Amino acid sequence: MRRTFNKFCPTESLTARPVHAAREDALGRFYDCGFPYSRKLTAHKSCVNYLAFSRHDGRWLASAGDDFRVLLWDFSEEDVLRPGHVFGGPIGNVLALDFSATNQYLYSGGADNVILKYDVSTLRGVGRSDIDGRGLSSFVEQYGDHDDSIRALTCHPYEDEIFLSASEDGKLVLHDGRAGGRMSAAQGTLQHMAEFTGVQHHPVMEHVFATCDVHGQVCLRDTRMAFGPLSRRSNGGIVRVYNTKLSRKSASYLSNPESSSLTFDRDGSKLAVTFLHYFPTIYALSDPHPLAICTGRNAPDGTPISPSQRTYANSCTMKSGAFGGPGMDEDDMYGAGSDDFRAYVWKIPPLMTLQGLRKEITSHDWYTREWPDTVAFAEGKWESRYVPFEISTPLARLNGHKSIVNAVAIHPFLLHVVTSGVERQIVLHSPTPSSPAVQNLLSTPPTVRTLQPQDLAAQRTFLRALFGPHPTLHEEVEEDEGEDETISLFDHILRQEGEADVFTMRRWGEDSAEDSEDEDGTMIDVFDSSLSDSSL
């Protein structure tokens, strides 16, 4: 049964108090217990690398991964159990998805170096598709502008035909599919010295976007300066460079962790960066220095995690986080996957509060005083240090997985978080056993699988995974076929790399060639309307 999709709010009947305060109070009671109910959504045949809800209405959840398919789950149904539609076309692992401004299109990209465009508008009101491989819908357009894996896609906030793609070939490409597009392929391409790992359009300011790369550089850029004729380009479009290098008193050098993905909140006032071998870090749009880091030092009830227990870590896979605030007027939650087989959700304090809690240490004080166990951010060896506030107690730890969690998506207004990773299943989490989109959810197991030392049996399973046939190449895959091998493979990687220290893995020096991109330090006012719009 299909229904009209109306926004669900658990406080609609509360009229005696201001709506915002009533929502916050009611939602706070919901979230006090975390997201203890869940359901596994099963249809993929291999790892699920990326999740994305359609914009504004959240009707569709798009999921994709290593089985070369893009699935759509219809959250306008009364009980989401199976995909509502499936798209084919990829010939490699899918690493990125995004819906266009009005959800007319869905774009996918990945290891086959190709971007595919699917028409979602034709699916409105249709029934559930056959997903056994015989009823695949095809793409309506493909883009072959990249020479290596596409790591990220981001759509223009207002135009369905405009999107940006970032690739490991170091190219950032502005695609404009509108009739009479005004830029040539060369004018729509920005070549970078390093592999791009992420790109994200600002959700409000149409010319502004953020990028990150393997060298840890995170930049705010302007399309009017980044693309178009060379005579109009300036500084790679960079209008702000964020402080991403780490400093520790016991190390004589700085560390530049790889920034593996980034995302804005709904109004673009906050930016979250996922770092490899470090913690998710929160920035304000207008402030280059970080305001907060999100850690798993404590359990949601505030109890410290003992050294013998595993907690939040990111050392092995490409991960993508998400802001959210279901039922609220702002995104005050951030979710991310972890190597400890969980996802984490943190409540983010207001930016003004975080600014007051951040500590600034002069270079003189840094070198003349002791700072035990302190990791700070610094733009250079002799610059001031900034110690962001540590959000050490997550709002929730989301169980239900047997291996690494890579992707998190938060529904725009339903109280649901979805997670995925190394396994074939997507896990849908909820603070209640039922909602307008799901019914009769079960309690999530209170614990997760323990990472065991490698024994002979584990070694054999690992070797089968390493040298055996790729399960995604088979039309029919049994429920558990290949799952143990895949999990064993990532267990082995965790044993080898899971406890790596960022200062050991990533060393940055002021004479490093990693920051060799020509940056003249020019900054502009991104609100300045005097710049021409003709580059779009």
Side-chain angles (χ1 to χ4, degrees):
M1 179 177 179
R2 195 171 302 279
R3 56 185 168 76
T4 303
F5 208 143
N6 294 317
K7 289 191 175 182
F8 166 68
C9 176
T11 57
E12 288 177 337
S13 63
L14 299 177
T15 58
R17 294 176 291 171
V19 173
H20 181 82
R23 284 179 180 173
E24 187 169 357
D25 181 59
L27 288 169
R29 292 196 297 270
F30 272 97
Y31 295 140
D32 279 345
C33 297
F35 296 79
Y37 301 95
S38 65
R39 166 184 294 166
K40 289 188 176 181
L41 303 178
T42 302
H44 282 286
K45 299 178 181 180
S46 191
C47 306
V48 183
N49 300 324
Y50 206 89
L51 302 168
F53 278 109
S54 55
R55 299 173 185 239
H56 312 303
D57 64 0
R59 173 181 174 179
W60 300 108
L61 169 67
S63 62
D66 292 359
D67 60 359
F68 310 163
R69 303 184 304 167
V70 178
L71 304 185
L72 289 182
W73 308 77
D74 190 351
F75 275 64
S76 70
E77 295 180 348
E78 292 186 348
D79 196 15
V80 178
L81 293 168
R82 295 176 296 279
H85 203 79
V86 58
F87 290 115
I91 56 174
N93 299 347
V94 181
L95 305 175
L97 298 166
D98 200 19
F99 285 92
S100 66
T102 68
N103 299 316
Q104 181 175 357
Y105 302 117
L106 173 66
Y107 296 90
S108 75
D112 57 5
N113 312 344
V114 174
I115 299 166
L116 301 179
K117 175 182 179 181
Y118 304 101
D119 191 347
V120 180
S121 64
T122 60
L123 305 182
R124 302 184 188 282
V126 303
R128 185 177 287 115
S129 294
D130 176 13
I131 64 165
D132 64 359
R134 298 186 295 271
L136 297 177
S137 294
S138 186
F139 53 89
V140 297
E141 192 169 353
Q142 68 176 359
Y143 305 80
D145 304 275
H146 289 289
D147 303 312
D148 209 335
S149 297
I150 290 126
R151 286 288 298 270
L153 299 168
T154 181
C155 291
H156 191 280
Y158 308 117
E159 297 285 347
D160 280 317
E161 302 281 356
I162 299 177
F163 68 97
L164 288 163
S165 59
S167 169
E168 292 180 0
D169 62 7
K171 291 179 185 176
L172 191 71
V173 179
L174 174 62
H175 308 265
D176 187 349
R178 296 176 298 183
R182 289 163 286 185
M183 283 196 297
S184 66
Q187 291 176 337
T189 301
L190 173 66
Q191 182 67 58
H192 188 43
M193 295 294 293
E195 301 171 10
F196 278 113
T197 56
V199 63
Q200 184 83 177
H201 245 302
H202 192 276
V204 178
M205 294 184 287
E206 60 180 316
H207 300 296
V208 178
F209 64 99
T211 62
C212 60
D213 64 33
V214 293
H215 291 162
Q217 188 180 61
V218 177
C219 298
L220 197 67
R221 302 178 190 251
D222 190 301
T223 56
R224 298 165 292 185
M225 296 166 59
F227 303 104
L230 291 177
S231 60
R232 294 181 50 199
R233 299 193 187 196
S234 176
N235 196 33
I238 296 172
V239 298
R240 174 163 289 113
V241 178
Y242 291 95
N243 183 359
T244 59
K245 291 183 281 292
L246 302 175
S247 177
R248 187 167 63 192
K249 192 68 181 293
S250 60
S252 61
Y253 52 87
L254 304 181
S255 174
N256 60 324
E258 176 182 329
S259 45
S260 54
S261 68
L262 77 174
T263 187
F264 285 109
D265 67 346
R266 79 176 73 171
D267 64 7
S269 62
K270 295 190 288 289
L271 178 68
V273 180
T274 302
F275 287 109
L276 194 64
H277 303 298
Y278 198 61
F279 304 106
T281 303
I282 309 297
Y283 295 82
L285 178 72
S286 58
D287 188 341
H289 306 296
L291 296 177
I293 58 172
C294 301
T295 76
R297 188 184 301 273
N298 301 325
D301 63 2
T303 304
I305 301 297
S306 71
S308 62
Q309 293 180 299
R310 301 174 67 225
T311 184
Y312 177 87
N314 176 27
S315 298
C316 298
T317 57
M318 294 182 291
K319 296 182 176 64
S320 57
F323 281 104
M328 301 298 293
D329 297 328
E330 62 179 355
D331 288 344
D332 63 353
M333 295 191 300
Y334 178 75
S338 170
D339 292 346
D340 70 340
F341 310 158
R342 298 182 177 94
Y344 287 72
V345 177
W346 295 270
K347 186 172 178 61
I348 309 300
L351 292 179
M352 290 297 293
T353 300
L354 292 176
Q355 287 171 347
L357 294 171
R358 180 180 62 192
K359 182 184 298 183
E360 180 178 356
I361 305 170
T362 66
S363 178
H364 177 269
D365 283 350
W366 179 259
Y367 286 107
T368 58
R369 296 173 55 187
E370 294 299 321
W371 300 96
D373 303 320
T374 298
V375 175
F377 285 73
E379 294 177 307
K381 188 173 181 179
W382 306 108
E383 303 297 325
S384 294
R385 268 56 176 176
Y386 294 85
V387 183
F389 176 70
E390 180 183 352
I391 305 174
S392 58
T393 302
L395 177 70
R397 297 195 301 179
L398 307 181
N399 297 340
H401 288 276
K402 295 189 294 182
S403 191
I404 299 171
V405 180
N406 292 331
V408 174
I410 302 175
H411 196 277
F413 56 86
L414 296 177
L415 309 184
H416 295 314
V417 179
V418 289
T419 57
S420 68
V422 168
E423 301 151 84
R424 300 170 186 161
Q425 294 84 16
I426 300 165
V427 181
L428 184 154
H429 307 268
S430 175
T432 59
S434 296
S435 81
V438 292
Q439 307 296 322
N440 303 317
L441 300 183
L442 300 178
S443 295
T444 306
T447 60
V448 296
R449 184 176 67 88
T450 302
L451 181 64
Q452 298 291 341
Q454 185 156 302
D455 55 17
L456 182 58
Q459 176 71 11
R460 289 171 176 168
T461 306
F462 164 69
L463 292 174
R464 285 199 303 269
L466 192 62
F467 298 110
H470 196 303
T472 64
L473 302 181
H474 296 277
E475 287 297 324
E476 298 296 333
V477 180
E478 296 298 326
E479 180 70 19
D480 295 324
E481 183 184 346
E483 186 91 318
D484 291 342
E485 285 82 357
T486 302
I487 291 174
S488 177
L489 177 63
F490 283 95
D491 281 358
H492 179 82
I493 296 173
L494 278 174
R495 294 187 192 102
Q496 298 295 316
E497 304 177 10
E499 301 299 326
D501 177 71
V502 65
F503 286 88
T504 302
M505 300 296 295
R506 302 280 299 198
R507 177 171 178 161
W508 180 88
E510 291 183 328
D511 59 348
S512 171
E514 290 183 350
D515 287 359
S516 59
E517 183 178 17
D518 182 19
E519 297 171 14
D520 59 18
T522 303
M523 297 294 161
I524 68 166
D525 181 357
V526 293
F527 296 96
D528 185 0
S529 60
S530 64
L531 291 169
S532 170
D533 292 347
S534 61
S535 64
L536 286 180

